[in-house]
Amino acid sequence: MGIRLGDEAPNFTADTTEGTIDFHEWKAGSWAVLFSHPADFTPVCTTELGRTAELNAEFAKRNTKTIAVSVDPLESHKGWAGDIKDVGGTDLNFPIIADESRNVAHLYDMIHPGEGDTSTVRSVFIIDPNNKVRLTLTYPKSVGRNFDEILRVIDALQLTDSAPVSTPADWTPGERVIVSPAMSTEDAKVRFGEVDEVKPYLRWTAQPKG
Ligand code: BEZ
């Protein structure tokens, strides 16, 4: 069975472009984005890893580390790093796991036989500081991911962990949010100030300050 939201993210030891790591030790105290790609020296993957490198400071602001995985060997990853910089404009600044044994791929169910071969599809796992899986995404090999969306989701997860609110469709940071159904409108007014009750179950309020 695949990994479900709320599961503990499986731990592993793996060789990466930044040395051998124990995953839980490597991410200790941080959020992590663990994401797989099908193969090195391929066009979509090169743009994805370049974009992740470019967004490194944005992930760091959110106490989030990124780590990529594919079943290609370490020497291949190291050789590819120059292309990632050429295409994306930023040095590779996060580790890529060399998962030749497919240990990580199997632990996280990243190989989908219907997608053509024995390489990983484009999986994303957002994992919190307590090592709980908080979001999963799976994209086919032909479609590159939107890394701004990954940042947006981290913002939403961190916000909804900090206050009894949810984020509506297409929310972006700074926009109004929804009061948790578990909170009465009276209590919400005490906690948040202004509350706009559109339906008994849909109450808007300004995004709480962090
Ligand atoms: C790519 O990164 O461009 C790619 C890799 C594997 C299959 C299809 C596309």
Side-chain angles (χ1 to χ4, degrees):
M1 182 161 51
I3 291 181
R4 292 180 170 176
L5 302 187
D7 286 352
E8 176 163 294
N11 196 24
F12 56 83
T13 302
D15 292 333
T16 81
T17 49
E18 297 185 5
T20 302
I21 62 154
D22 172 286
F23 181 56
H24 285 182
E25 274 176 22
W26 171 82
K27 70 172 285 304
S30 297
W31 291 73
V33 178
L34 171 69
F35 66 110
S36 58
H37 59 275
D40 299 352
F41 299 102
T42 52
V44 177
C45 300
T46 306
T47 63
E48 288 191 321
L49 273 71
R51 180 68 177 140
T52 305
E54 187 184 357
L55 290 172
N56 188 260
E58 290 300 320
F59 285 109
K61 262 192 230 166
R62 293 159 175 83
N63 184 31
T64 301
K65 294 173 126 183
T66 57
I67 185 164
V69 54
S70 86
V71 300
D72 283 339
L74 197 53
E75 284 318 307
S76 166
H77 290 342
K78 287 183 176 164
W80 184 36
D83 287 4
I84 293 169
K85 177 170 185 190
D86 285 349
V87 171
T90 307
D91 281 323
L92 182 66
N93 48 24
F94 58 90
I96 310 176
I97 295 167
D99 192 33
E100 283 183 278
S101 68
R102 292 169 170 68
N103 178 42
V104 178
H106 287 312
L107 277 174
Y108 283 83
D109 196 21
M110 291 166 163
I111 294 175
H112 297 199
E115 267 290 294
D117 59 24
T118 55
S119 63
T120 41
V121 294
R122 299 185 196 282
S123 302
V124 181
F125 295 86
I126 298 180
I127 301 163
D128 73 14
N130 296 319
N131 296 332
K132 293 277 177 269
V133 174
R134 301 295 301 278
L135 178 128
T136 64
L137 287 171
T138 310
Y139 276 50
K141 293 177 181 176
S142 56
V143 179
R145 287 157 287 197
N146 183 329
F147 288 82
D148 291 321
E149 167 62 3
I150 293 171
L151 288 171
R152 189 193 74 88
V153 167
I154 294 169
D155 285 333
L157 287 167
Q158 293 181 349
L159 173 66
T160 59
D161 279 359
S162 71
V165 296
S166 307
T167 57
D170 299 335
W171 175 85
T172 56
E175 292 179 350
R176 64 186 183 162
V177 296
I178 295 169
V179 175
S180 162
M183 188 173 227
S184 70
T185 301
E186 214 169 69
D187 287 350
K189 284 181 177 162
V190 172
R191 169 118 187 205
F192 300 122
E194 209 166 308
V195 173
D196 178 17
E197 186 174 298
V198 173
K199 300 278 178 196
Y201 56 84
L202 174 56
R203 286 93 35 93
W204 295 104
T205 193
Q207 178 180 323
K209 304 260 179 291

